[in-house]
């Protein structure tokens, strides 16, 4: 509940005020009305997204910003009586009711009128009157109105409506000769016979259907409105864009062909090469990243593979690939949800390759495997204690005591965050910080035993410290915890680079949402989220290469809910307004697109304006795909290159049963 209120305030701040709506009354009205009460149940979690959402009767609830724009343009006053045409969910009427004396709202679908009336009654707004009817005729009995707002677009402003304006009254309506593209028009009635007209810009609304609007036959299906101006406005130039893209696309050979990796040599001078993925369960993304990484390791001196996985789990893979001894009670890696992300045949093949290659090299030239993520708190605490048991039993006792504070919560750390928030004090913050500081202050003494083991222990202690803060931050909201996690990932990367020396170079495998520069996506622009890609650019400049991945359709390994079983689902074909669809339309089935400045500048320029981009993580919900998985990004700014596969298939998870005859040290503990 409080999360929704926060989301609402954030929505007002970022989507409305930052975009230039200056009226304090408009902002205050949006702060009061719960948008989640006006959308279908299954979309409530998206209620404060920056977009229109589908509602009953095949209609849409408007994007908050566009409602705000109209309300501001209408210059509403507390004494005003207002008419709304196209009440839909009732949301805009509810917001207006907070600003004026009385709202009259007409909706042509009776189902919507009934639903809206019920919502408004429940929320206790008593100055709204709703009825079903043809709004193009207005509401003559209640006229004249100080303002009239139409939430649907017609070919002209119906005379019936302009006549129902009071002198001095304002009418705001989308008007356009085609069904889906309109200009937002403002009419101000200056006298009995005269009106001023103002153009407020391009918009896209559902059609106004009625006697003085479009006929139902002319408007068979209602498209969803998007923020103005939209890409589709460009019509014929769209074709040329796919041609430009096809010309720049460099086809990709087989994964096993050395030419595959060689295509990426151009990025090899970077200190960090970040390889993304558009889902956590697509085989092609793993195989492509493996091929690129093999090349960077073999030909270009990269010795660090750092992945979006938990440090202690990756550490046991690292011991395996670098032929280092496993600790006595080593836990099998990656047993927790989502296990398929790392326990799959593609990762296994890469790890076997790395181990075999390392075997031929002296220890200092072997490439290691490191985890950047934050989640395995329990294993990290155990690893620190085990380490100290070996090198400093006295300190191990202290560690047991200090971590004892968090131990009861290690299976359900979110509950710790809740406790810390409700009791108002972070009980374990000091002890975990003290533990890290102790460990670091004895670095010189400890590294005498073994530098690698020290790095591992120190990193685990850092993870415990970050995780303690992370679970508390969860209660301040998604942005804070996301930022804390990505900062931790970045700092871990820096630690590993520093440990390996000034010449060290790293390949990073993480989701597009982590490695694509967040400041050019909705993540950064609307939600204030940063990520490791952005931090790498800030720190390494041109020495950071950010490479995104994408696909049109196929299958993906995923879950429906967090902690749910792995499923293989069909990936829906990409949406028409997305970058993915452009890539698909250019007709090259798998390619590399170099997006760096100076390569294909004309294309780059044409791609810069934001479009939709699909993000599938561990969870995939095709039913609500547009709202759960797409957001607006500027691809050429987000990435330095884009790797494309038209069709992709799900990763194959490794069996979890015990297999006989496998090396005991095998990290997946098969
Ligand atoms: N203000 C609404 C937006 C709804 S979308 C909200 O905040 O949710 C526009 C609505 O206009 C649709 O519900 C559609 O059914 C309705 N509509 C279209 N033509 C109409 C007409 N002639 N009279 C009344 N409603 C109309």
């Amino acid at each position: 509940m409080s999360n929704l209120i926060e989301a609402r305030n954030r929505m007002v701040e970022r989507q409305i005020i930052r975009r230039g709506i200056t009226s304090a009354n408009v902002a205050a009205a949006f702060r009061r009305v719960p948008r989640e009460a006006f959308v279908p149940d299954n979309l409530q979690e998206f209620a404060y997204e920056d977009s229109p959402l589908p509602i009953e009767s095949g209609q849409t609830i408007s994007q908050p910003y566009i409602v705000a724009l109209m309300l501001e343009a209408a210059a509403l006053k507390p004494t005003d009586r207002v008419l709304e045409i196209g009440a839909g969910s009732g949301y805009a009427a509810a917001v207006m009711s907070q600003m004026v004396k009385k709202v009259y709202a007409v909706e042509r679908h009776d189902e919507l009128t009934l639903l809206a009336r019920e919502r408004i009654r429940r929320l206790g707004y008593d100055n709204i009157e709703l009825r079903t009817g043809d709004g193009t005729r207005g509401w003559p009995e209640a006229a004249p109105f100080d303002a009239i707002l139409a939430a649907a677009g017609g070919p002209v402003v119906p005379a019936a409506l302009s006549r129902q304006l009071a002198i001095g009254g304002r009418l705001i309506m989308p008007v356009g000769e085609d069904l889906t593209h309109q200009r937002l028009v403002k009419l101000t009635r200056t006298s009995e016979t005269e009106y001023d007209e103002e153009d407020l810009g391009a918009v896209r609304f559902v059609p106004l259907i009625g006697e003085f609007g479009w006929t139902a036959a002319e408007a068979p299906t209602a498209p969803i409105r998007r923020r103005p101006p939209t890409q589709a406005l460009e019509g014929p130039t769209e074709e040329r864009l796919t041609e430009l893209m096809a010309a720049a696309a460099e086809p990709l050979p087989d994964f096993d062909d050395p030419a595959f990796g060689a295509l990426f040599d151009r990025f090899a001078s970077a200190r960090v090469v970040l390889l993304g993925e558009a889902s956590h369960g697509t085989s092609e993304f793993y195989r492509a990243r493996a091929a690129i990484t093999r090349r960077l390791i073999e030909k270009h001196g990269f010795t660090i593979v750092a992945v979006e996985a938990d440090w202690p789990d990756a550490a046991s893979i690292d011991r395996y690939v670098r032929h280092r001894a496993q600790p006595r009670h080593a836990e099998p890696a990656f047993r927790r949800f989502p296990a398929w992300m790392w326990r799959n045949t593609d990762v296994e093949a890469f790890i076997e390759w790395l181990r075999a290659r390392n075997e031929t090299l002296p220890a200092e030239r072997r490439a290691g495997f490191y985890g950047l993520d934050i989640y395995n708190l329990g294993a990290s605490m155990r690893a620190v204690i085990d380490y100290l048991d070996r090198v400093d039993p006295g300190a191990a006792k202290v560690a047991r005591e200090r971590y004892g504070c968090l131990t009861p919560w290690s299976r359900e750390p979110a509950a710790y965050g809740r406790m810390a928030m409700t009791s108002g004090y972070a009980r374990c913050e000091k002890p975990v910080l003290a533990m890290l500081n102790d460990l670091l202050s004895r670095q010189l003494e400890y590294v005498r035993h073994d530098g690698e083991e020290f790095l591992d222990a120190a990193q685990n202690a850092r993870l415990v410290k970050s995780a303690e803060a992370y679970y508390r931050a969860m209660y301040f909201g998604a942005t804070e915890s996301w930022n804390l996690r990505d900062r931790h990932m970045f700092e871990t990367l820096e630690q590993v680079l520093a440990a390996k020396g000034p010449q060290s170079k790293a390949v990073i495998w993480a989701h597009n949402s982590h490695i694509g520069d967040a400041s050019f996506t909705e993540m950064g622009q609307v939600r204030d989220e940063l990520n490791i890609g952005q931090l790498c650019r800030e720190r390494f400049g041109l020495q950071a290469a950010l490479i995104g991945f994408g696909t049109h359709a196929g299958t993906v390994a995923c879950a429906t809910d967090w902690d749910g079983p792995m499923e293989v689902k069909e990936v829906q074909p990409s949406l028409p307004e997305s970058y993915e669809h452009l890539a698909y339309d250019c007709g090259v089935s798998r390619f590399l697109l170099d997006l760096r400045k100076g390569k294909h500048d004309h294309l780059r320029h044409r791609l810069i304006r934001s479009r939709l981009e699909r993000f599938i993580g561990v969870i995939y919900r095709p039913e609500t795909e547009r709202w759960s998985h797409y957001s607006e990004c500027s691809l050429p700014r987000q990435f330095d290159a884009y790797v494309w596969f038209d069709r992709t298939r799900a990763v194959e998870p490794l069996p979890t049963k015990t297999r006989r005859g496998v090396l005991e040290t095998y990290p997946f503990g098969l």
Side-chain angles (χ1 to χ4, degrees):
M1 185 66 195
S2 73
N3 279 350
L4 283 170
I5 294 173
E6 265 169 38
R8 192 191 314 155
N9 286 328
R10 224 176 5 243
M11 178 270 275
V12 172
E13 191 58 41
R14 296 182 188 167
Q15 300 171 29
I16 295 179
I17 297 174
R18 279 197 207 168
R19 286 218 185 96
I21 302 292
T22 53
S23 157
N25 290 342
V26 171
F30 274 95
R31 284 212 172 86
R32 280 201 289 272
V33 179
R35 192 169 186 244
E36 66 274 15
F38 293 85
V39 300
D41 288 351
N42 65 331
L43 293 179
Q44 281 186 0
E45 62 183 296
F46 308 114
Y48 295 103
E49 296 284 297
D50 188 18
S51 65
L53 293 171
I55 56 172
E56 299 76 8
S57 300
Q59 300 301 314
T60 60
I61 176 171
S62 310
Q63 181 193 14
Y65 169 69
I66 206 82
V67 179
L69 188 74
M70 294 176 77
L71 296 191
E72 182 165 72
L76 300 176
K77 293 188 294 294
T79 50
D80 281 351
R81 299 166 66 261
V82 180
L83 171 66
E84 189 195 20
I85 317 296
S89 66
Y91 177 64
V95 176
M96 277 188 269
S97 77
Q98 305 299 298
M99 306 174 62
V100 301
K101 184 152 166 242
K102 174 103 190 188
V103 179
Y104 298 85
V106 196
E107 168 53 53
R108 70 183 272 272
H109 289 286
D110 199 38
E111 182 196 13
L112 293 179
T113 310
L114 295 175
L115 278 167
R117 200 176 278 148
E118 175 54 23
R119 288 171 182 138
I120 278 161
R121 189 192 60 74
R122 237 184 296 139
L123 291 166
Y125 304 138
D126 57 7
N127 58 343
I128 305 175
E129 205 170 312
L130 271 162
R131 74 176 186 193
T132 304
D134 177 3
T136 63
R137 300 154 175 236
W139 191 316
E141 312 87 278
F145 298 101
D146 302 297
I148 300 179
L149 287 96
V156 291
V157 176
L161 293 186
S162 45
R163 274 202 305 269
Q164 290 177 30
L165 272 183
I167 311 272
R170 293 81 55 200
L171 178 148
I172 315 287
M173 175 175 167
V175 179
E177 280 170 19
D178 106 30
L179 275 178
T180 50
H181 301 122
Q182 306 98 8
R183 314 288 305 177
L184 194 61
V185 167
K186 174 175 177 180
L187 281 191
T188 307
R189 187 169 193 175
T190 52
S191 73
E192 197 55 48
T193 51
E194 288 161 315
Y195 298 86
D196 275 352
E197 186 173 331
E198 221 179 300
D199 181 340
L200 304 178
V203 285
R204 229 178 134 178
F205 276 76
V206 296
L208 179 72
I209 298 166
E211 192 180 347
F212 304 108
W214 302 102
T215 65
E218 282 168 321
T221 48
I224 282 184
R225 278 160 292 159
R226 295 205 45 77
R227 171 187 319 164
T230 63
Q231 193 58 43
L233 290 173
E234 281 185 0
T237 53
E238 196 76 350
E239 261 163 52
R240 285 202 308 250
L241 183 50
T242 55
E243 280 164 26
L244 272 177
M245 196 155 168
E250 299 172 56
L252 289 169
D254 273 357
F255 295 116
D256 294 329
D257 185 335
F260 189 105
L263 273 175
F264 294 81
D265 285 347
R266 70 193 80 183
F267 303 108
S269 60
R271 178 108 198 259
V272 289
V273 175
L274 294 87
L275 304 175
E277 58 183 348
S279 92
H280 280 317
T282 302
S283 175
E284 282 74 5
F285 300 152
Y286 284 92
R287 283 183 286 160
R289 296 187 298 183
I292 300 164
T293 307
R294 289 196 302 262
R295 177 84 181 184
L296 293 173
I297 291 175
E298 279 184 321
K299 302 278 185 215
H300 303 288
F302 283 70
T303 56
I304 295 165
V305 182
V307 304
E308 184 189 340
D310 297 323
W311 178 274
D313 299 80
S316 65
I317 306 279
D318 181 56
R319 292 197 175 88
Y320 179 71
V321 299
R322 288 203 285 152
H323 306 267
R324 294 164 51 218
Q326 296 284 355
R328 248 179 319 130
H329 309 293
E331 297 169 31
F334 303 119
R335 290 289 281 269
R336 289 162 316 105
F337 180 88
W340 70 87
M341 200 172 139
W342 299 107
R343 295 173 72 89
N344 65 54
T345 53
D346 299 318
V347 172
E348 181 186 43
F350 176 72
I351 286 169
E352 290 304 333
W353 173 86
L354 194 55
R355 177 175 159 88
R357 176 183 147 83
N358 278 341
E359 197 163 16
T360 64
L361 297 170
E364 68 282 3
R365 288 182 45 211
R366 291 176 178 174
F369 191 86
Y370 306 90
L372 300 174
D373 221 333
I374 207 172
Y375 291 115
N376 202 347
L377 173 63
S380 280
M381 293 195 291
R382 284 192 293 282
V384 174
I385 293 170
D386 283 355
Y387 171 76
L388 291 172
D389 271 341
R390 272 175 278 138
V391 304
D392 187 350
K397 248 179 89 184
V398 178
R400 279 196 172 80
E401 214 161 274
R402 286 176 172 158
Y403 285 164
C405 175
L406 272 178
T407 314
W409 312 95
S410 71
R411 278 180 172 275
E412 221 197 314
Y416 166 74
R418 199 158 47 234
M419 178 281 290
M421 284 315 294
T422 47
S423 68
Y425 120 93
R427 191 178 299 171
C428 306
E429 186 180 14
K430 282 199 184 124
V432 301
L433 186 62
M435 203 53 243
L436 173 62
N437 289 339
D438 272 13
L439 204 64
L440 294 178
S441 68
R442 294 193 203 150
Q443 175 163 5
L444 287 180
E445 179 189 329
Y446 289 164
V447 291
R448 260 185 260 131
H449 293 267
D450 181 336
E452 294 286 356
E453 291 297 319
F454 176 78
L455 172 68
D456 182 48
Q459 208 43 52
N460 278 308
R462 282 197 182 89
L463 188 148
V464 176
K465 187 207 70 171
S466 296
E468 190 273 342
Y470 174 83
Y471 290 108
R472 278 188 287 117
M474 285 201 341
Y475 288 85
F476 294 110
T479 297
E480 285 74 6
S481 53
W482 172 277
N483 287 351
L484 212 148
R485 180 178 166 213
D486 269 56
R487 276 220 172 83
H488 173 84
M489 289 169 71
F490 178 69
E491 283 160 13
T492 305
L493 174 65
E494 283 197 306
Q495 293 296 338
V496 178
L497 282 166
K500 305 273 150 178
Q503 304 302 321
S504 58
K505 288 145 90 68
V507 193
I508 291 94
W509 295 16
H511 196 274
N512 283 351
S513 56
H514 291 291
I515 70 105
D517 189 334
S519 49
F520 299 108
T521 70
E522 272 186 52
M523 285 171 57
Q525 289 165 359
V526 180
R527 296 200 293 275
D528 268 355
E529 288 170 352
L530 49 75
N531 64 10
I532 185 168
Q534 177 185 346
L535 295 170
C536 279
R537 268 196 184 157
E538 284 166 16
R539 166 86 167 72
F540 301 108
L542 292 174
Q543 294 297 301
L546 278 43
I547 304 180
F549 287 66
T551 184
H552 171 65
T555 57
V556 65
C558 58
T560 301
D561 293 297
W562 193 259
D563 266 343
M566 190 202 99
E567 301 168 56
V568 173
K569 293 193 192 180
E570 291 284 329
V571 175
Q572 303 288 306
S574 59
L575 289 181
E577 293 163 80
S578 62
Y579 282 111
E580 284 84 353
H581 209 275
L582 258 184
Y584 175 65
D585 275 349
C586 81
V588 185
S589 65
R590 34 194 280 153
F591 62 77
L592 164 67
L593 186 62
D594 194 331
L595 293 166
R596 289 173 302 170
K597 283 191 190 136
K599 297 295 164 188
H600 308 287
D601 283 343
H602 183 48
L603 170 69
R604 190 172 183 277
H605 182 71
R606 291 286 310 277
L607 288 175
I608 268 188
R609 196 171 67 207
S610 294
R611 283 168 188 266
L612 295 180
E613 182 181 320
R614 177 160 55 194
F615 296 81
I616 300 175
V618 167
I619 310 292
Y620 181 45
R621 294 190 180 146
E623 318 77 64
T624 55
E625 190 181 47
R626 163 65 185 87
W627 323 107
S628 331
H629 299 292
Y630 281 91
S631 67
E632 297 221 0
C633 304
S634 172
L635 191 89
R637 292 177 150 157
Q638 184 188 7
F639 300 119
D640 298 303
Y642 191 55
V643 177
W644 175 257
F645 300 96
D646 265 6
R647 297 204 69 83
T648 46
R649 61 174 175 74
V651 293
E652 268 176 53
L654 293 173
T656 40
K657 277 188 292 186
T658 315
R659 239 200 259 149
R660 248 174 286 152
V662 178
L663 260 181
E664 233 183 52
T665 52
Y666 189 71
F668 285 134
L670 281 172

